[in-house]
Amino acid sequence: MTDSGKSAFLPGHYPGRAPFDAYGRGGFRFAGMSHRGSLIALPSGVSAWDVALPAEITLASLGRVLDEPRNSDFQFLLLGTGIQQVFPSMEIRRAFSTAGLGLDVMTTGAACRTYNVLLAEGRPVGAAVLAVE
């Protein structure tokens, strides 16, 4: 709770780290819940991500990721770009480099599987994954 007595949690936000239990059919399952649409999973929690296509991945849409504190819990992001690997713009790659944040790009399925393994190992990882059918 905040000082005003209101919850500090955002709508569409799970306050914690959780592996992906399943992906496909336009969404994800994690922490005993299901979500339609894309997700960003960071140390601060799992949130809905209003991006549906690789072309919609912009600096603005990744702002939440770039604003997440880099520490022993978060040093690199797995970017799942759907059913095909699509590399982000040079502007995005440069912003990640400047911020000292690693960026690995892969398909959504590969990103989910890799995230789960690295999370289980206690590695400093986050994920931004596009929903796939």
Side-chain angles (χ1 to χ4, degrees), residues 21-68:
D21 298 321
Y23 63 91
R25 297 185 183 193
F28 299 87
R29 287 188 35 79
F30 65 96
M33 300 179 286
S34 62
H35 170 80
R36 292 249 339 133
S38 302
L39 289 174
I40 292 181
L42 300 170
S44 61
V46 181
S47 300
W49 189 29
D50 191 24
V51 172
L53 302 168
E56 297 172 355
I57 300 171
T58 64
L59 272 178
S61 74
L62 291 168
R64 187 175 339 161
V65 174
L66 292 166
D67 289 343
E68 184 84 2

Side-chain angles (χ1 to χ4, degrees), residues 54-117:
E56 297 172 355
I57 300 171
T58 64
L59 272 178
S61 74
L62 291 168
R64 187 175 339 161
V65 174
L66 292 166
D67 289 343
E68 184 84 2
R70 248 85 57 222
N71 55 36
S72 62
D73 289 333
F74 184 54
Q75 296 175 1
F76 65 98
L77 181 81
L78 301 172
L79 179 60
T81 59
I83 59 172
Q84 294 184 6
Q85 182 182 37
V86 179
F87 289 95
S89 69
M90 182 56 81
E91 177 187 36
I92 290 171
R93 290 181 281 169
R94 195 173 300 121
F96 272 73
S97 179
T98 299
L101 186 60
L103 178 64
D104 289 324
V105 181
M106 54 195 72
T107 66
T108 290
C112 289
R113 292 185 299 272
T114 304
Y115 176 79
N116 286 351
V117 169

